[in-house]
Amino acid sequence: MKLVKAILRPEQFEFVRKALEENGYTCMTITVSEGHGERKHFPTENCDSLNSFDLLPRIQIDIVVDYAKVDP
């Protein structure tokens, strides 16, 4: 068994969910979060909050796959 995690932009979620379901992956865990890849801004020295980052909405999909059944 393998755990597969995908972090997506919200507008990509429905497309990915439908593709997973069409291929037999109907059980998944969805987490709504915020994040950022390559940071455009860094936090200031005296800032303790997450507001100093430019965080963007993200959706994380977690699925567990039986590695033996995955086609190469």
Side-chain angles (χ1 to χ4, degrees), residues 26-70:
T26 56
C27 299
M28 60 187 79
T29 301
I30 309 301
T31 307
V32 178
S33 62
E34 293 181 332
H36 201 295
E38 296 179 18
R39 292 188 191 146
K40 305 291 184 202
H41 299 91
F42 293 96
T44 58
E45 293 178 13
N46 59 358
C47 186
D48 293 330
S49 71
L50 291 175
N51 293 332
S52 60
F53 294 100
D54 293 330
L55 297 176
L56 302 172
R58 296 287 184 242
I59 295 179
Q60 178 176 319
I61 301 174
D62 297 332
I63 59 173
V64 176
V65 235
D66 187 356
Y67 191 68
K69 294 183 180 181
V70 176

Side-chain angles (χ1 to χ4, degrees), residues 6-39:
I7 299 175
L8 313 167
R9 292 189 309 264
E11 62 269 14
Q12 297 173 318
F13 172 69
E14 281 303 314
F15 173 76
V16 173
R17 184 189 59 79
K18 286 179 185 177
L20 286 169
E21 287 180 355
E22 288 172 2
N23 287 286
Y25 299 103
T26 56
C27 299
M28 60 187 79
T29 301
I30 309 301
T31 307
V32 178
S33 62
E34 293 181 332
H36 201 295
E38 296 179 18
R39 292 188 191 146

